Amino acid sequence: GSDKNRAIQHHSRNTDMSVEPTSSSTLINGTGSQVQEIDVASSPGGEVKLSLKCSADPSKLKMPDLEAVYKMVEDKYLCSDKLLPPDFSIPGLMAEICQSVVQMGTQHTMTEHITQSHTVGNGSTSKCVEGGSASSTPAPQPHLALSRTTHDVHDISRGQENVKIPIANESGRGKCPPSFSYIPGNEVFQNGIVNISLAHIGAQDSCADCFGDCLSAPVPCACARVTGGEYAYTPGGLVKPEFIDKCVSVNRIPEVHHKVFCKTCPLERSRDKASPEPCRGHLVRRFIKECWSKCGCSMRCGNRVVQHGIRCNLQVFSTGNGRGWGLRTQNALPKGAFVCEYAGEILTCVEVHGRAVENMKNNRYTHTVVLDAGWSSGGSLKDEDALCLDGTFYGNVGRFINHRCRDANLAMVPVQVETPDRHYYHVAFFTSRKVEALEELTWDYGIDFDEELGPVKVFECLCGSKYCRGSRRHRQRLRNGNGNGKKRSRIEG
């Protein structure tokens, strides 16, 4: 009723089409219930009209202000730089208008508009909320399931990052990311040990005599020792191209890079403690060591990048191609730019294996990264020192980064910040090349798709890369080439 004489303000590319004032009517359908119908636009002569027909019970759905609906749709479709997403379509836009009317018309409070309720495998519930009035993130608890998590579509981090990270759903199906609690940094789940103390940081692991910006000093400080006496970062905050290229090479052609073999591998021990299989090897990766609390430099020092958190404009979006949700950048990024880190619960390998078995019962994938870049040959880590990160229940936007074989646009780099111990580090993602605005961000998980991984089934790869090693055709070709077509059995966390 409030929109009966309201004209819709709208920019049309066709000057022959005009927008007439809306009109509304109430009809009685065959079942005796009321049907609300509102004309929203028409051609000058009235030959063609667009209207909204609402068949819901008026007591449950009140027709909202259409200008507010259009504003909601515009906020969902347009990025901060007013660019349309690459998969924009008129049918999708119309579906989004209808969905927005339902959202606003069925609101339960004046501050929250519930857009979707989505149940995941363990019976927990996920909601998308507009307005940012959701409760704060609870501290991680030693259990596997969450009862309910509410996502703010304008900022999935709910103010915990330097920038807002919105959720975009161009599919028009009202989906919402799965239930999890957002944490910007890593948190210990239960048995893992991370020694973060000033006493643990020796003089060789800090630059107490530095002042201001270490990168502007004539001689590199002690923190550059990890990267061969030269800083990995440029004064502009980017990782140097040659460093990134070497990190990318480790994932692209792992067979030519050095591996270490544990005397008793924590991964194999977690699967079979009585008689673990021999270590399969762990790739040696290049570390970056950032300045920290015992360093004399300022917080603006150029050797402090990852610890400052996310700076670029990111967006969680529905891929619409069978790969679920993904992460993309809203602005172009140069090569070597820090995007985000993979944050989650810090677990031991034993805890991860138990969780993987439990998740398989609930048909849920485990988002796990093994922190094995610093493991040494001939070593035998204790269970509490062999750590992994799991973003399934508590994590950040890093959990949305999808896999892509070989030519992914992100490189994973282990970064030391709070502790010199290499069994714990930050899993940081940097761009491996220039990334265009609205391009999806991906990284190579390093998965051997030809293996059968015990309680965790290998997913069918849909990355679309011409180098894809996980497609059915590619794996069949490898088996035919090997002749016997046998698969090794391996249990992975």
Side-chain angles (χ1 to χ4, degrees):
S2 64
D3 292 304
K4 186 173 182 179
N5 297 314
R6 186 187 302 274
I8 303 172
Q9 300 302 316
H10 143 110
H11 297 285
S12 175
R13 295 179 180 176
N14 189 339
T15 56
D16 293 331
M17 296 290 289
S18 64
V19 179
E20 300 293 334
T22 60
S23 61
S24 63
S25 61
T26 302
L27 308 174
I28 305 296
N29 62 17
T31 61
S33 60
Q34 292 185 351
V35 177
Q36 303 174 71
E37 185 170 343
I38 296 181
D39 294 333
V40 295
S42 70
S43 59
E47 303 92 343
V48 179
K49 289 185 179 181
L50 289 176
S51 62
L52 292 174
K53 183 183 293 185
C54 305
S55 58
D57 186 340
S59 64
K60 297 180 179 179
L61 189 148
K62 181 180 179 181
M63 181 56 64
D65 178 19
L66 287 183
E67 288 187 2
V69 172
Y70 299 141
K71 181 63 169 62
M72 175 186 287
V73 175
E74 178 181 304
D75 289 343
K76 288 183 178 180
Y77 265 92
L78 296 182
C79 303
S80 59
D81 48 6
K82 297 301 179 183
L83 292 176
L84 285 171
D87 52 355
F88 170 80
S89 67
I90 296 299
L93 176 65
M94 292 180 175
E96 188 63 56
I97 291 175
C98 294
Q99 175 65 18
S100 297
V101 169
V102 174
Q103 289 177 217
M104 301 187 72
T106 56
Q107 59 181 332
H108 297 297
T109 67
M110 295 300 293
T111 57
E112 291 188 353
H113 304 296
I114 299 175
T115 64
Q116 169 67 14
S117 188
H118 176 66
T119 302
V120 295
N122 66 339
S124 60
T125 302
S126 172
K127 286 184 180 179
C128 280
V129 169
E130 288 206 26
S133 58
S135 59
S136 59
T137 303
Q141 299 295 324
H143 52 70
L144 300 183
L146 300 172
S147 58
R148 169 176 280 186
T149 302
T150 302
H151 295 310
D152 181 353
V153 297
H154 296 301
D155 182 12
I156 196 170
S157 77
R158 292 186 290 190
Q160 297 183 82
E161 302 287 5
N162 299 316
V163 294
K164 292 183 178 181
I165 306 174
I167 302 172
N169 179 19
E170 293 100 6
S171 66
R173 298 175 183 174
K175 288 184 179 179
C176 181
S179 176
F180 78 100
S181 284
Y182 197 99
I183 54 174
N186 301 320
E187 299 285 350
V188 175
F189 167 65
Q190 190 167 359
N191 296 327
I193 294 180
V194 179
N195 190 350
I196 299 178
S197 65
L198 293 178
H200 195 58
I201 303 175
Q204 72 277 11
D205 299 311
S206 61
C207 55
D209 296 331
C210 285
F211 181 82
D213 183 5
C214 292
L215 268 63
S216 62
V219 179
C221 70
C223 296
R225 176 177 54 85
V226 172
T227 47
E230 294 184 359
Y231 295 110
Y233 298 128
T234 67
L238 306 177
V239 172
K240 294 177 179 178
E242 56 271 21
F243 189 97
I244 280 290
D245 291 341
K246 291 179 180 178
C247 294
V248 171
S249 177
V250 173
N251 262 17
R252 285 187 177 176
I253 43 176
E255 60 274 9
V256 303
H257 289 273
H258 182 58
K259 284 187 176 183
V260 296
F261 294 84
C262 308
K263 182 178 180 180
T264 304
C265 182
L267 286 174
E268 304 299 336
R269 194 169 62 231
S270 68
R271 298 159 190 153
D272 188 348
K273 188 174 184 179
S275 54
E277 293 185 15
C279 179
R280 301 171 190 270
H282 308 276
L283 285 168
V284 177
R285 298 182 183 273
R286 293 170 62 87
F287 275 73
I288 292 177
K289 169 71 173 71
E290 293 193 357
C291 297
W292 187 236
S293 297
K294 292 188 75 173
C295 297
C297 55
S298 72
M299 289 302 293
R300 294 187 178 183
C301 170
N303 197 39
R304 300 172 183 260
V305 175
V306 173
Q307 61 190 267
H308 286 319
I310 299 172
R311 299 288 183 178
C312 53
N313 293 316
L314 304 175
Q315 185 184 68
V316 176
F317 75 106
S318 178
T319 61
N321 57 6
R323 295 182 300 116
W325 294 86
L327 186 69
R328 65 189 176 194
T329 172
Q330 298 189 62
N331 307 104
L333 299 175
K335 181 177 180 178
F338 173 62
V339 173
C340 68
E341 64 176 287
Y342 185 95
E345 295 176 87
I346 304 172
L347 294 88
T348 65
C349 293
V350 175
E351 291 171 332
V352 165
H353 180 72
R355 181 172 290 189
V357 174
E358 185 67 26
N359 285 349
M360 279 299 295
K361 296 178 182 178
N362 295 318
N363 195 30
R364 189 190 304 108
Y365 181 73
T366 305
H367 304 262
T368 304
V369 177
V370 181
L371 302 183
D372 61 348
W375 293 3
S376 59
S377 286
S380 182
L381 284 175
K382 298 179 181 179
D383 288 338
E384 62 268 23
D385 292 329
L387 304 177
C388 307
L389 295 178
D390 182 14
T392 305
F393 301 108
Y394 295 88
N396 71 340
V397 290
R399 74 193 301 279
F400 293 108
I401 303 177
N402 282 316
H403 165 79
R404 186 174 176 88
C405 296
R406 190 168 178 173
D407 59 356
N409 54 22
L410 295 181
M412 188 275 285
V413 181
V415 178
Q416 293 174 271
V417 181
E418 307 93 340
T419 174
D421 287 342
R422 287 199 169 187
H423 70 267
Y424 172 75
Y425 51 84
H426 293 261
V427 176
F429 295 112
F430 296 86
T431 53
S432 58
R433 58 170 173 80
K434 181 181 178 181
V435 180
E436 300 298 335
L438 297 179
E439 181 179 348
E440 182 179 2
L441 299 166
T442 58
W443 71 291
D444 191 333
Y445 294 179
I447 295 175
D448 186 348
F449 289 94
D450 203 40
E451 289 186 333
E452 197 170 279
L453 306 181
V456 179
K457 296 180 180 179
V458 176
F459 56 84
E460 180 67 26
C461 188
L462 302 173
C463 72
S465 170
K466 64 179 180 179
Y467 305 107
C468 181
R469 61 182 184 270
S471 64
R472 293 177 181 176
R473 181 179 301 176
H474 175 80
R475 282 185 283 159
Q476 187 62 47
R477 186 168 59 248
L478 286 179
R479 295 189 186 108
N480 292 340
N482 293 337
N484 54 20
K486 292 182 179 179
K487 292 190 286 185
R488 291 173 291 171
S489 177
R490 179 180 175 188
I491 298 174
E492 183 66 69

